[in-house]
Every structure is written in structure tokens, then in C-alpha cells.
Amino acid sequence: MENDAKIFVAGHRGLVGSALVRELERRGYNNLVLRKSSELDLRDQAATRAFFESERPEYVFLAAAKVGGIVANNSFPADFIYDNLMIQNNVLHSSYLAGVKKLLLLGSTCIYPRLAPQPIKEEALLTGPLEPTNEPYAIAKIAGIKMCQSYNRQYGTRFICAMPTNLYGPNDNFDLTTSHVLPALIRRFHEAKVAGATTVTIWGTGTPYREFVHVDDVAGASLFLMQQYEGGDPVNVGSGQELTIADLAHRIAAVVGFVGEILYDKSKPDGTPRKLCDVSRIHELGWRHKIELDQGLADTYAWYLANRC
Ligand SMILES: NC(=O)C1=CN([C@@H]2O[C@H](COP(=O)(O)OP(=O)(O)OC[C@H]3O[C@@H](n4cnc5c(N)ncnc54)[C@H](OP(=O)(O)O)[C@@H]3O)[C@@H](O)[C@H]2O)C=CC1
Ligand SMILES: C[C@H]1O[C@H](OP(=O)(O)OP(=O)(O)OC[C@H]2O[C@@H](n3cnc4c(=O)[nH]c(N)nc43)[C@H](O)[C@@H]2O)[C@@H](O)[C@@H](O)C1=O
């Protein structure tokens, strides 16, 4: 990407989008095109087409999506499949029509089969049934990958796909119902400590394993792939390290300074038992994560205290 390249960061106010803007500006890319969803609803085909015709960005990072944790996915399946299919269809087709040089689509490691062999290689895609709690969202993401590959083959576009694992960091969603586990537990333990509560109840059994990667690493990986990767296959982006939800909860309680008891609400879903992604492809390309979980937790809690309390 040339320094004066015109770059559209779709979803620039979100967890990933805002990290992409920070990283792009840090590296001296200042010709950024940014639109809030209230200014440009990417589900609107005509508005998206008109935007691309008038702005003609050269590069696109597609970090706009309907995103949420396990309960949000399980509660609003129609919203998750409709919004994400519409956003992807409109942005990908308009990018092709407007002659975008290169586009990176953010997917998710939830696209892989629920019981895929671990760690999960990119080749595991479509080799088995998906995790029911987020299947609509995963199907939309898989459709995005297939659309990128189809447009590359038929029209010669350069649409690449990154598959991050669970990510966290500044500007995450801390809503206790719609958020992912890591930000939710930061908030739960913080509010319990401040209230002097002696217990915190978390969802599920605590036994599932999850992998986490800091969003600043995902932004770095996205720029790396935009500059270095021309393949049509998805590329996993992760830390290659997993831990149980119970272990995560104890580590977050320690960072926050909560010393009470952790209880488990088994009426809430566990989701997929494990989804550690194989990161050898991106390692071989030359990228590795930098931010380890303990440092990331401390930094994210500091950001939460400074910005969300
Ligand atoms: N968070 C995670 O753990 C993971 C996320 N991902 C992927 O990363 C990408 C970004 O996720 P994340 O940053 O967490 O999500 P966020 O919810 O933090 O941000 C999503 C962004 O998308 C924008 N958006 C949503 N709907 C529309 C719309 N109809 N039109 C225009 N913009 C819209 C929002 O814009 P606005 O603020 O203006 O309303 C928001 O800024 C997604 O593709 C997601 O699937 C992948 C793996 C894990
Ligand atoms: C990124 C990824 O994120 C989602 O998949 P998920 O990883 O299952 O989602 P999650 O982070 O919400 O839960 C992880 C685990 O954590 C447990 N858990 C405990 N206590 C809380 C809690 O308070 N909130 C939440 N959200 N989870 C909790 C919860 O019960 C589960 O066992 C999908 O969006 C999927 O599409 C996707 O892409």
C-alpha cells in the first residue's frame, strides 16, 4: 500500500476497525475514508454503491459486521446472518465495480467445524457440522470467504480473508448481554469488587477452551496480509495459546483485584468445547503475535477504567 493510498476502513469505530485506524495512522497512512453506520448503512446496496462510486477507495479493510458473544448470537440468529450477508455482498460487489486494488475481509475462527481436529488448520473449513450457537453468523462468514474466492477467480479481484480467533482490547463491547467473554468478565469482576460483592457468577461450566489475541495484533496482522499476502485461502490469526474459561476468569479476577468466589450459571451455553487455531500459515508468511495475554489483560483493564467507568 502506497503511503498516500486511499483506504476505506469499514467499521472504523469498532474493536477491530479502531485498532486498524490507530495502526494505519501510526504508520503514516493518512488518506483514510471513514463512515459511521448512521452515515452509511452498508446493508443498503444503493447507498454502498453510490459511496464507492464517489469515493473510489484503493484499499478496503472490511471490519464492519454484526458481532456479538454467544448469547447474542444464540438470541438473534436472523440479525447475524442477514446483516453480515448484506454488508459483505454490498462491500465486495461495490469494491469490484469500483476497481478496488485490494480488500481484506475479517472472518472468524467460528467458521470451523465444532469438533475440528485441534489446532484447527484452515483446510478444516466445511469438513463437519458447525457450532449451533453461532452457525448463522459462521455461515455468513463462510459465504464471505467463498465470495472473495469467486470474485478473484471470475473477475481477477484481490480479495483476501483473515480469520482471527477471539479478540479483545481497547474499545471492546462491554455490554453484559451482547459482549464476548473477556470484556464481560472484566466488567463483572470490576463491578463486584467496587460493590464489595463476595461472589461473581459467570456463564456455562467454565470448561470450554478459548484462544485470545489482542486486537492490536490483529490490526498488525491485517496490515501485514494486505501488504504481503495474495493467496485466495483464509489465513488464521491467533496467539496459538488456549486456556479454559475458568482459568481466564481467575486470571481476570487477579488483574482486577476481586478476591471472592466464582460461581457458574450452567443454564447458559458453553458453545464449542475448543477452537484453538493453527497459526503456522501466518507464521510461515512472517507474522507472529506480540502481546501476551497477561499483559493484554492488564492493559485492557486499565483502558476500561479510564474510558468505561
Ligand atoms: N470481537 C471478536 O472477538 C471477533 C471479531 N471478529 C471479526 O472482526 C470484525 C470486527 O469485529 P468487532 O470489531 O469485534 O465488531 P464491533 O461490533 O466492535 O464493530 C463493528 C463495526 O461494524 C459497524 N457496523 C455494524 N453494522 C453496520 C452497518 N449496517 N453498516 C455500517 N457499519 C456497520 C459498526 O459501526 P458503527 O459503530 O458506526 O455503528 C461497528 O463499528 C468482524 O468481521 C468480526 O466478525 C472475528 C473474530 C473475533
Ligand atoms: C469470537 C467468537 O465469539 C463467539 O463465540 P464464543 O467464543 O463461544 O463466545 P463468547 O466469548 O461469548 O463465550 C465464550 C465462552 O465464555 C463463557 N462465558 C462465561 N461468562 C461469560 C459472560 O459473562 N459473557 C460471555 N459472552 N461469555 C461468557 C461462555 O459461556 C462460553 O463458554 C461467537 O460470536 C463466535 O461467532 C465468535 O466468532
Side-chain angles (χ1 to χ4, degrees):
M1 286 189 304
E2 309 72 29
N3 258 351
D4 61 349
K6 194 168 192 177
I7 302 166
F8 174 37
V9 179
H12 75 283
R13 300 194 323 161
L15 173 60
V16 174
S18 56
L20 282 167
V21 170
R22 285 197 302 273
E23 186 62 19
L24 283 163
E25 288 177 342
R26 190 182 69 80
R27 295 191 197 192
Y29 294 101
N30 294 306
N31 190 5
L32 305 184
V33 181
L34 309 173
R35 290 290 185 280
K36 296 184 286 193
S37 62
S38 55
E39 294 166 325
L40 175 60
D41 183 341
L42 292 169
R43 295 169 302 182
D44 180 334
Q45 183 183 58
T48 305
R49 185 78 57 85
F51 164 78
F52 272 84
E53 276 310 305
S54 65
E55 288 295 337
R56 291 201 170 264
E58 296 169 89
Y59 297 88
V60 177
F61 290 92
L62 180 45
K66 173 76 173 174
V67 181
I70 190 166
V71 163
N73 264 275
N74 220 14
S75 307
F76 307 107
D79 296 344
F80 277 86
I81 195 164
Y82 175 78
D83 284 17
N84 288 308
L85 284 176
M86 293 303 285
I87 291 168
Q88 285 170 180
N89 291 348
N90 290 336
V91 172
L92 291 175
H93 193 65
S94 296
S95 292
Y96 151 64
L97 293 176
V100 163
K101 286 180 181 173
K102 197 169 180 183
L103 173 146
L104 182 140
L105 174 138
L106 272 301
S108 163
T109 54
C110 75
I111 62 170
Y112 298 118
R114 170 180 164 83
L115 300 176
Q118 311 273 324
I120 307 170
K121 290 188 176 303
E122 291 90 348
E123 290 76 11
L125 182 60
L126 292 175
T127 59
L130 300 171
E131 160 57 38
T133 54
N134 56 52
E135 186 181 62
Y137 170 81
I139 291 285
K141 289 295 175 180
I142 292 168
I145 294 167
K146 292 303 176 185
M147 197 160 169
C148 289
Q149 293 172 337
S150 303
Y151 274 60
N152 294 345
R153 188 147 65 91
Q154 183 172 338
Y155 296 129
T157 49
R158 297 161 68 204
F159 294 170
I160 63 173
C161 303
M163 298 298 122
T165 190
N166 293 47
L167 50 95
Y168 69 99
N171 209 28
D172 204 340
N173 167 16
F174 288 87
D175 177 86
L176 289 180
T177 306
T178 63
S179 61
H180 289 98
V181 59
L182 195 148
L185 296 193
I186 285 177
R187 179 171 170 184
R188 288 189 199 286
F189 286 120
H190 174 77
E191 291 180 347
K193 181 183 79 171
V194 168
T198 56
T199 66
V200 163
T201 299
I202 75 173
W203 296 351
T205 63
T207 59
Y209 283 84
R210 289 293 184 275
E211 174 189 11
F212 296 95
V213 64
H214 193 283
V215 72
D216 288 350
D217 274 330
V218 172
S222 299
L223 267 70
F224 173 83
L225 292 170
M226 183 67 97
Q227 286 160 335
Q228 310 275 342
Y229 184 61
E230 296 295 340
D233 292 324
V235 182
N236 290 340
V237 180
S239 61
Q241 296 151 23
E242 62 179 347
L243 73 169
T244 64
I245 297 302
D247 186 359
L248 176 72
H250 283 97
R251 286 165 78 160
I252 293 175
V255 166
V256 169
F258 172 77
V259 292
E261 188 185 0
I262 297 172
L263 306 176
Y264 295 88
D265 173 3
K266 295 179 182 170
S267 73
K268 293 287 191 313
D270 270 342
T272 194
R274 278 182 84 191
K275 55 183 184 126
L276 174 67
C277 67
D278 181 304
V279 284
S280 50
R281 177 173 290 173
I282 199 168
H283 284 182
E284 282 152 22
L285 286 169
W287 180 88
R288 283 177 179 271
H289 78 286
K290 296 187 179 75
I291 303 167
E292 298 301 341
L293 184 60
D294 286 335
Q295 186 60 51
L297 288 177
D299 294 349
T300 304
Y301 182 47
W303 184 91
Y304 174 79
L305 291 176
N307 296 275
R308 286 289 187 273
C309 287

